[in-house]
Amino acid sequence: MNRDSTKLIALDWGTSSLRCYRFADFGRVLEQRSFPLGILQILRSSLATDHAERSRAFERAFSETCGDWVDAAPRAALIASGMVGSDLGWREIPYLRVPIDCRRLGGSLGEVRSSVGKLVHIVPGLMELTTLPNVMRGEETQVVGALSASSRHFLPEEFGFEDEFLIGLPGTHSKWVFVRGTTINHFETFMTGEVYGVLCEHTILGRTMSHRKNEADYSSFDRGVHVAKEFIGENGFLSTIFSVRTLGLVGDLSPEQQPDYLSGLVIGDEIATLIRLQTKRRDVQHTRRRPILLAGESSLCARYARALAAYGCADVEFAANATERGLWSLAEQAGLFSSDSEESIKNS
Amino acid sequence: MNRDSTKLIALDWGTSSLRCYRFADFGRVLEQRSFPLGILQILRSSLATDHAERSRAFERAFSETCGDWVDAAPRAALIASGMVGSDLGWREIPYLRVPIDCRRLGGSLGEVRSSVGKLVHIVPGLMELTTLPNVMRGEETQVVGALSASSRHFLPEEFGFEDEFLIGLPGTHSKWVFVRGTTINHFETFMTGEVYGVLCEHTILGRTMSHRKNEADYSSFDRGVHVAKEFIGENGFLSTIFSVRTLGLVGDLSPEQQPDYLSGLVIGDEIATLIRLQTKRRDVQHTRRRPILLAGESSLCARYARALAAYGCADVEFAANATERGLWSLAEQAGLFSSDSEESIKNS
């Protein structure tokens, strides 16, 4: 490892996983690592009930996953985003309020100092105060990355500066972000990924499933999307998901097909809701569907694109590597790279 | 224990619990026991992958929970209903098809013989073959019990013999049964109880909950029902449940209030769906809402009655002890009690 080449060590620390990136100049990713060490796993593995013990558990995980990088590049800046900055994380960083211009985020980083004196900058999450409030942590970083990646090429020519477009961020908790220019106006959260996981792992639906296949079974997935479209609006989510079991019982859905069918049901329900909400929110002058930019894990984005297509939303653009682009952009915005800056001195 | 007094030993063996009843003549319950030994726990505790080992695990549980009753009353009949008769249970008993007259059920019992020669009669479940099929196991016994308990007093005077009424069976998997006379015409399943459980135990929503309070917090429950009514139809289930966390984050829902609020959300979603389905199914000549008979655990039924009241369904009747009444009625229908019958000889 070249000591001088590392400019930034960045952590995407979410609910169910930790991803670490080592960057050189110009945001070039030198190395990346991934661990099943999301905050839920850390909370489960530490018997911590008090804040100090929990903080030590996060620091231990940081040191075990990135300690060698930090030792080899002591002047590199450190940044983290995601649930690590939540009330259940390493250090709680207050939310910023929506609407907000994404260009303001880099100037608002929080920080936590580790026991060996390293300063870790933490990206604040966003909060929207409506009747049912909404929050995000980590996805604001993906939005910044998606905006820097997209260059607005995905927007149709007639798209006005005042029109909103959508950024979709599938994941444990999916977010749908309504953006105008560089401003986040509004967003919605769906617990799709997490609910899918617990239905498979902890309910009777999982008892008859086989996960032996590695490849996605898109025909079962599409069937789930179709059933969600046809039935969930009337029969409800809690009733429709039981069809995983009953179609299996009558021999119409094999154990291998059940996981992808359920995936189609839950993602299909999310997209059905999104279509309803868009219709409600649509500006009077803007009668077409909003352009959509998807960012996230590519096989999951592929599922979302299929579900969107079932609703006639075929013009979907993918923003690659949005998280790492966002982490780099925010560190740059925050001025963490000037070689003799205070931060570098603090960290050396 | 008086050897002669026990006529029937009956098991209500469901997904998440096992309840055992010892009956004297005329269906008088002498004793009852309850164990957290539903089929999911038995499947988890046995490392069984093959049918024989699974069967032994059920037999072991039967012997450990009721063996003393059986030894003391060797001539008593044995009956079981619920998931014990499913493909994941002790012995799979084929489903009977809906529509079905409940008076036919007692003549269609299945059976399993234990290794010590005891014959256990098993009540068959019901299946309805629609686009999304539906199944029940155990609830058919509650329906029989509710019908024998209610004496139709809950039906309004102008209610015609051809009109359908509803029997609601809250539980791990709630059932809503559309009945005409003694015939089950149609039913729906909601995974409400099981989904509530896994959301509390295995998702991030549970991380901020406190279950310290023993009494139901009906004001938080009602708030959840209200939010379900206002929002789930538009925002969807997967989005609306996230409000447990976000209302907590903004200090508008305490850790102690969160379990009952979520309970209101999921039960509220079930009732909202039921109202939609009723409206769709309503006979042209029958414009009022259907009369409702609720059977099940009394504190859970109380929650359902509150949620129903929020939708203007105030005329709800409770059928007490439906399960044990149903088990007794079915054993009687099946002729298991004639003292010199073949069954008694087999079992002695």
Side-chain angles (χ1 to χ4, degrees):
Chain A
M1 200 186 292
N2 181 333
R3 279 178 177 259
D4 293 321
S5 65
T6 303
K7 298 289 283 186
L8 177 70
I9 294 166
L11 312 177
D12 164 25
W13 209 336
T15 304
S16 50
S17 69
L18 166 61
R19 291 190 186 83
C20 315
Y21 303 92
R22 190 165 67 85
F23 289 92
D25 272 325
F26 308 111
R28 190 163 55 90
V29 176
L30 296 171
E31 199 177 351
Q32 70 179 76
R33 297 168 174 176
S34 187
F35 304 90
L37 276 174
I39 68 155
L40 280 187
Q41 289 93 329
I42 289 178
L43 292 174
R44 271 187 215 123
S45 67
S46 83
L47 298 169
T49 47
D50 69 332
H51 184 266
E53 175 51 35
R54 191 199 294 164
S55 176
R56 278 191 293 276
F58 278 93
E59 180 153 350
R60 230 167 13 244
F62 172 58
S63 159
E64 284 165 8
T65 54
C66 300
D68 57 336
W69 288 355
V70 174
D71 291 343
R75 293 173 66 90
L78 304 173
I79 192 170
S81 82
M83 290 296 284
V84 65
S86 76
D87 57 331
L88 301 174
W90 191 352
R91 161 71 58 91
E92 185 172 6
I93 311 295
Y95 291 101
L96 301 179
R97 292 287 177 80
V98 163
I100 190 169
D101 190 321
C102 286
R103 292 171 300 189
R104 276 188 47 209
L105 288 174
S108 310
L109 304 187
E111 51 188 47
V112 61
R113 191 173 288 278
S114 77
S115 58
V116 295
K118 292 291 174 189
L119 195 66
V120 181
H121 299 272
I122 300 185
V123 181
L126 302 183
M127 173 178 279
E128 184 172 0
L129 279 177
T130 49
T131 315
L132 301 184
N134 234 317
V135 292
M136 62 165 70
R137 290 220 185 248
E139 294 89 354
E140 72 296 322
T141 303
Q142 286 180 283
V143 169
V144 169
L147 289 173
S148 85
S150 73
S151 315
R152 298 176 63 88
H153 283 146
F154 73 103
L155 298 177
E157 273 183 31
E158 70 277 21
F159 194 80
F161 186 74
E162 288 303 306
D163 290 334
E164 277 181 352
F165 58 96
L166 275 170
I167 300 182
L169 306 165
T172 307
H173 295 171
S174 295
K175 304 285 177 184
W176 284 94
V177 187
F178 293 69
V179 179
R180 176 177 293 138
T182 56
T183 296
I184 295 177
N185 277 340
H186 169 68
F187 65 96
E188 301 279 351
T189 303
F190 297 86
M191 290 185 62
T192 311
E194 191 173 14
V195 169
Y196 174 74
V198 296
L199 291 176
C200 289
E201 274 178 58
H202 299 291
T203 74
I204 199 163
L205 302 184
R207 300 300 315 192
T208 53
M209 286 182 178
S210 162
H211 291 273
R212 272 173 294 179
K213 287 172 73 176
N214 284 322
E215 283 182 20
D217 168 6
Y218 282 125
S219 113
S220 298
F221 176 80
D222 292 346
R223 183 177 176 190
V225 171
H226 175 75
V227 167
K229 193 179 175 188
E230 292 292 304
F231 289 94
I232 290 187
E234 193 151 273
N235 289 27
F237 182 81
L238 295 166
S239 162
T240 308
I241 55 175
F242 193 56
S243 64
V244 176
R245 173 155 176 79
T246 57
L247 289 171
L249 280 170
V250 299
D252 194 12
L253 194 69
S254 73
E256 291 76 16
Q257 292 173 324
Q258 291 173 27
D260 284 306
Y261 172 76
L262 179 60
S263 168
L265 280 185
V266 293
I267 292 176
D269 186 32
E270 177 182 331
I271 301 301
T273 303
L274 180 75
I275 300 294
R276 276 199 305 276
L277 291 171
Q278 274 205 75
T279 308
K280 179 189 164 202
R281 193 177 165 80
R282 185 177 296 153
D283 330 332
V284 179
Q285 78 277 19
H286 185 58
T287 51
R288 288 174 310 98
R289 293 241 162 95
R290 292 180 172 75
I292 291 175
L293 190 59
L294 277 183
E297 201 261 309
S298 61
S299 67
L300 190 57
C301 285
R303 286 173 187 257
Y304 274 73
R306 289 185 81 91
L308 284 161
Y311 284 87
C313 306
D315 285 332
V316 174
E317 189 86 11
F318 298 91
N321 307 321
T323 303
E324 47 266 51
R325 280 172 180 271
L327 286 163
W328 176 264
S329 292
L330 288 170
E332 212 168 30
Q333 265 186 31
L336 304 187
F337 299 142
S338 48
S339 57
D340 296 313
S341 76
E342 193 193 357
E343 297 309 329
S344 298
I345 292 162
K346 277 189 197 166
N347 271 343
S348 63
Chain B
M1 200 186 295
N2 182 335
R3 281 177 176 259
D4 294 321
S5 65
T6 303
K7 298 290 282 186
L8 176 70
I9 294 167
L11 312 177
D12 164 25
W13 209 337
T15 304
S16 49
S17 69
L18 165 61
R19 291 191 186 82
C20 314
Y21 303 91
R22 191 164 67 85
F23 289 92
D25 272 323
F26 308 111
R28 189 162 55 88
V29 175
L30 296 170
E31 196 177 353
Q32 70 178 74
R33 297 169 174 175
S34 187
F35 305 90
L37 276 175
I39 69 155
L40 280 186
Q41 290 93 327
I42 288 179
L43 291 174
R44 271 188 216 124
S45 67
S46 83
L47 298 169
T49 47
D50 69 332
H51 183 266
E53 174 51 35
R54 191 200 294 163
S55 176
R56 279 191 293 275
F58 277 94
E59 180 153 350
R60 231 170 10 247
F62 171 59
S63 160
E64 284 165 10
T65 54
C66 300
D68 58 335
W69 287 356
V70 175
D71 291 345
R75 294 172 67 89
L78 304 174
I79 192 169
S81 81
M83 289 295 285
V84 65
S86 76
D87 58 332
L88 301 174
W90 190 354
R91 160 72 57 89
E92 186 173 5
I93 310 297
Y95 291 101
L96 302 178
R97 292 288 177 78
V98 163
I100 190 169
D101 190 320
C102 286
R103 291 171 299 189
R104 276 189 47 211
L105 287 173
S108 310
L109 304 187
E111 50 188 49
V112 61
R113 191 172 288 279
S114 77
S115 59
V116 295
K118 292 291 173 190
L119 195 65
V120 181
H121 299 271
I122 300 185
V123 181
L126 302 183
M127 173 177 279
E128 184 172 1
L129 279 177
T130 49
T131 315
L132 300 184
N134 234 318
V135 292
M136 62 165 69
R137 288 217 185 252
E139 293 88 354
E140 72 295 325
T141 303
Q142 286 181 283
V143 169
V144 169
L147 288 173
S148 84
S150 72
S151 318
R152 298 175 63 88
H153 284 147
F154 73 104
L155 298 178
E157 272 184 30
E158 71 276 21
F159 194 80
F161 186 74
E162 287 303 306
D163 290 333
E164 277 182 350
F165 57 94
L166 274 169
I167 299 182
L169 305 165
T172 307
H173 295 172
S174 294
K175 305 284 178 186
W176 283 94
V177 187
F178 293 69
V179 179
R180 176 177 292 137
T182 56
T183 296
I184 294 178
N185 277 340
H186 168 68
F187 65 96
E188 302 279 351
T189 304
F190 297 85
M191 289 184 64
T192 311
E194 190 173 14
V195 169
Y196 174 74
V198 295
L199 291 176
C200 290
E201 273 178 58
H202 298 291
T203 74
I204 199 163
L205 301 185
R207 301 297 316 190
T208 54
M209 285 180 179
S210 163
H211 291 274
R212 271 174 295 178
K213 287 173 71 175
N214 284 324
E215 282 183 20
D217 168 6
Y218 282 126
S219 115
S220 299
F221 175 81
D222 291 346
R223 184 177 175 190
V225 170
H226 175 75
V227 166
K229 192 177 176 189
E230 292 293 304
F231 289 94
I232 290 186
E234 193 151 276
N235 289 25
F237 182 80
L238 295 166
S239 163
T240 308
I241 56 174
F242 193 56
S243 64
V244 176
R245 173 155 175 77
T246 57
L247 288 171
L249 280 170
V250 300
D252 194 13
L253 195 69
S254 72
E256 290 76 16
Q257 292 172 323
Q258 291 174 27
D260 285 306
Y261 172 76
L262 179 60
S263 169
L265 280 185
V266 294
I267 292 175
D269 186 32
E270 177 182 332
I271 301 301
T273 303
L274 180 75
I275 301 294
R276 275 199 305 278
L277 291 170
Q278 274 207 76
T279 308
K280 179 189 164 203
R281 194 178 165 80
R282 186 177 296 151
D283 332 332
V284 180
Q285 77 276 20
H286 186 55
T287 50
R288 288 174 309 96
R289 293 243 162 94
R290 290 180 173 77
I292 290 174
L293 190 59
L294 277 183
E297 200 262 309
S298 61
S299 67
L300 189 57
C301 284
R303 286 175 187 256
Y304 274 72
R306 290 185 81 91
L308 284 162
Y311 284 87
C313 306
D315 284 333
V316 174
E317 189 85 12
F318 298 91
N321 309 321
T323 302
E324 48 264 50
R325 280 172 181 270
L327 285 162
W328 176 265
S329 291
L330 289 170
E332 210 168 33
Q333 264 185 31
L336 305 187
F337 300 141
S338 49
S339 58
D340 296 312
S341 74
E342 193 193 357
E343 298 308 330
S344 297
I345 291 162
K346 276 189 198 167
N347 271 343
S348 64

